[in-house]
Amino acid sequence: MAPYFIKNLVPRRGNTDNSGIIPALASLTWVQWAQFWSGWLAWTCDALDFFSVSLTVTDLAVQFGKSSQKITTAITLTLLFRSVGAVIFGILSDRFGRKWPLIINLIICCVLELGTGFVQTFSQFLAVRSLFGIAMGGIWGLSSSNALENVPVELRGLASGILQQGYAVGYLLAAVINLTIVPRHNWRALFYFGACISFFAAIIRTLVPESEVFIKAKELERAKGANTAAKTKVFIHETKEMLKLHWKLCIYAVLLMTGFNFLSHGSQDLYPTYLETTKGFSSHDATIATIIGNCGAIAGGAIAGWGSQYIGRRLTIIICVLLVGAFIPLWIIPSSFSALSAGAFWVQFGVQGAWGVIPIQLAEMSPPAFRATFPGVAYQIGNMVSSASAQIEATAGSHIKTTIIKNGQPEVVDDYATVQGILIGVVAAYVVIVTIVGPENHASHFEKHKAAFEEGGGHDDAFMDDDQVGRPRSIREVEDEKAFSA
């Protein structure tokens, strides 16, 4: 007899809550659209700046007189400090609301991106990138909770996939800027552009109302006469209760996100360097191949997110990761631009397809009142554990050599192809195993739950007193209400 977690890979028909994508899209108000896209834009800005370093490793090495391995220290430091930001801004969001913590977070990102463009020494560069890691760490949890809790249940799989691919779009934008603007100016232009986009995202979020779920929770607390000090005291108490109940789930989520972060950073952070060093590509061709890979990522995220609404979150992740494993040979063996670009497209289709399910999988898995803090912290601790992935690849590549023909002459170079092939293969197998044994709370109505500053919020069965007001209803509920009225 198969274990429960395998039999439960595909959600039962009655739990899918699918009344149709088109009716659900038609039901969205402009506020719901704005809340979703403001979260998406914030995450896009975050990715644009992060990958600005990956795309300019060679230029930065020349600027500061350091090796590529030394430059990747900046990537490691950014990833290490992201968990700090996730804790700080996640707690602020679950305590005070989605809007202003995200705005403040974006403005800090803007200032630090601008600061990166003005650094003059390598020490300054590392310091600013470390601080940026703290700011960057808050964005994902806030963007995800802001976007997903305001859309109907039927759309959350698709919304999750599109939201997560803000990351790929940010990488794509950084690649396009690197291809068109940086050659005419220098690497600093990437960070100036990123600062402008982050400031624009902060302005957009300022114009969009607070999450309706939070507005309702605050109204209920005001009606009870609770003040700020009392709500903070309750928040701290409920946080302790949540940790007592869900410490095993916290460990599992970190293990899952460690694998996912190794999968994404192992296949993305040094990809341009891999093509330029091991395959002898020009910077221009490496950037074009990166753009093609990100097109695959965007398509994979949207399709997988939508599919997860029907076949389940975990099964969708497993299918996508198996696809990654199947295309590793096309990722590393060829030498031609067309074949390697095709490998990049399909590997990133699988990597970001699996990632496209993660925002909603973590949101549904989370203790409901902590759906900004829990996913954000799990994600960023996983990032912290995997933070050395770029340095691992750079160090391993410097010890494993291969020979290529460059300008008609044989040349010994670092073999990033072998290193990435081994790393991605091992991590893909790990992610499949961890995903299979994990929980799934498909089509959860987490928006009906009490906020973390309400008494009982730390327990899974604590629902709002009036759960039909101030939350995005499913299309099925709307249709049932109309039928009853008729």
Side-chain angles (χ1 to χ4, degrees):
M1 190 173 183
Y4 175 76
F5 54 75
I6 293 180
K7 292 191 295 180
N8 199 40
L9 275 176
V10 180
R12 286 178 295 174
R13 188 80 175 172
N15 290 340
T16 56
D17 205 3
N18 290 312
S19 300
I21 294 291
I22 301 303
L25 287 170
S27 74
L28 293 178
T29 65
W30 74 267
V31 173
Q32 288 173 304
W33 281 109
Q35 286 169 332
F36 174 80
W37 287 111
S38 64
W40 178 90
L41 180 60
W43 184 226
T44 299
C45 296
D46 208 5
L48 190 158
D49 185 83
F50 177 76
F51 284 111
S52 294
V53 175
S54 299
L55 288 164
T56 55
V57 167
T58 303
D59 293 338
L60 291 167
V62 173
Q63 173 73 40
F64 298 118
K66 303 292 182 180
S67 65
S68 296
Q69 186 178 340
K70 290 287 187 182
I71 296 299
T72 58
T73 303
I75 298 175
T76 302
L77 289 172
T78 298
L79 295 174
L80 275 173
F81 283 98
R82 278 167 67 166
S83 56
V84 178
V87 173
I88 294 171
F89 289 102
I91 289 174
L92 288 174
S93 180
D94 283 331
R95 168 62 185 86
F96 296 104
R98 311 303 186 205
K99 181 175 180 175
W100 290 105
L102 181 55
I103 292 169
I104 294 169
N105 201 172
L106 284 166
I107 291 173
I108 294 173
C109 284
C110 171
V111 171
L112 292 171
E113 286 172 287
L114 199 60
T116 303
F118 283 101
V119 298
Q120 299 299 320
T121 67
F122 186 57
S123 297
Q124 292 173 353
F125 179 71
L126 292 181
V128 173
R129 297 312 295 173
S130 298
L131 291 174
F132 179 78
I134 297 175
M136 184 182 186
I139 295 290
W140 188 83
L142 274 61
S143 298
S144 177
S145 57
N146 183 79
L148 296 180
E149 70 187 14
N150 290 296
V151 297
V153 175
E154 295 92 341
L155 289 178
R156 285 181 179 159
L158 177 62
S160 173
I162 295 174
L163 170 71
Q164 185 60 31
Q165 293 328 302
Y167 189 74
V169 173
Y171 194 175
L172 186 63
L173 284 173
V176 170
I177 297 167
N178 188 56
L179 186 67
T180 57
I181 296 176
V182 170
R184 288 183 289 173
H185 299 279
N186 57 41
W187 60 269
R188 299 178 192 273
L190 259 175
F191 296 95
Y192 297 150
F193 189 91
C196 293
I197 295 295
S198 292
F199 185 69
F200 174 72
I203 292 174
I204 293 297
R205 188 63 190 93
T206 303
L207 300 175
V208 177
E210 173 64 275
S211 173
E212 194 172 357
V213 176
F214 244 87
I215 292 174
K216 178 59 182 175
K218 289 180 179 179
E219 287 175 352
L220 291 173
E221 286 301 292
R222 272 197 296 268
K224 295 175 182 177
N227 56 37
T228 300
K231 287 191 286 186
T232 300
K233 186 176 180 180
V234 170
F235 178 83
I236 294 171
H237 172 74
E238 296 304 332
T239 300
K240 293 177 181 177
E241 289 299 307
M242 180 273 292
L243 291 173
K244 288 179 185 177
L245 289 171
H246 295 294
W247 63 271
K248 290 181 181 178
L249 183 63
C250 293
I251 294 172
Y252 170 79
V254 169
L255 292 174
L256 179 68
M257 297 317 299
T258 296
F260 264 88
N261 280 295
F262 264 114
L263 190 65
S264 60
H265 291 295
S267 64
Q268 293 170 349
D269 291 0
L270 286 188
Y271 184 64
T273 305
Y274 152 54
L275 292 180
E276 292 176 36
T277 303
T278 307
K279 299 300 181 180
F281 281 24
S282 65
S283 177
H284 178 275
D285 286 348
T287 302
I288 293 293
T290 299
I291 291 172
I292 293 171
N294 277 286
C295 290
I298 294 167
I303 293 171
W306 167 77
S308 74
Q309 198 70 25
Y310 299 91
I311 66 172
R313 315 302 185 197
R314 290 181 300 144
L315 183 57
T316 304
I317 290 171
I318 291 166
I319 291 170
C320 288
V321 175
L322 291 176
L323 182 70
V324 172
F327 279 99
I328 288 175
L330 191 59
W331 173 273
I332 63 174
I333 294 174
S335 297
S336 68
F337 174 83
S338 57
L340 285 168
S341 296
F345 181 93
W346 287 109
V347 166
Q348 291 306 322
F349 184 99
V351 170
Q352 290 303 317
W355 263 104
V357 184
I358 283 298
I360 188 59
Q361 168 69 343
L362 285 182
E364 292 175 339
M365 181 197 305
S366 300
F370 296 88
R371 56 185 178 273
T373 307
F374 182 92
V377 173
Y379 181 180
Q380 303 304 355
I381 292 179
N383 252 325
M384 183 175 68
V385 177
S386 67
S387 60
S389 57
Q391 284 190 304
I392 290 171
E393 290 184 344
T395 303
S398 67
H399 288 85
I400 303 175
K401 302 293 184 178
T402 188
T403 303
I404 63 171
I405 304 300
K406 195 170 185 179
N407 299 322
Q409 298 293 325
E411 182 178 340
V412 177
V413 297
D414 295 346
D415 189 2
Y416 288 116
T418 299
V419 172
Q420 290 197 356
I422 293 171
L423 180 65
I424 295 171
V426 171
V427 171
Y430 169 85
V431 170
V432 168
I433 294 170
V434 174
T435 301
I436 287 175
V437 300
E440 180 172 343
N441 192 15
H442 190 272
S444 166
H445 280 279
F446 48 72
E447 77 287 347
K448 297 167 63 174
H449 200 275
K450 285 185 175 182
F453 56 76
E454 296 180 276
E455 289 188 12
H459 295 266
D460 292 349
D461 57 353
F463 297 99
M464 288 186 184
D465 296 332
D466 182 9
D467 61 38
Q468 295 300 315
V469 182
R471 69 176 180 85
R473 296 178 297 167
S474 71
I475 299 304
R476 181 173 296 152
E477 290 175 310
V478 175
E479 291 175 346
D480 289 348
E481 183 180 292
K482 289 179 179 178
F484 179 78
S485 298

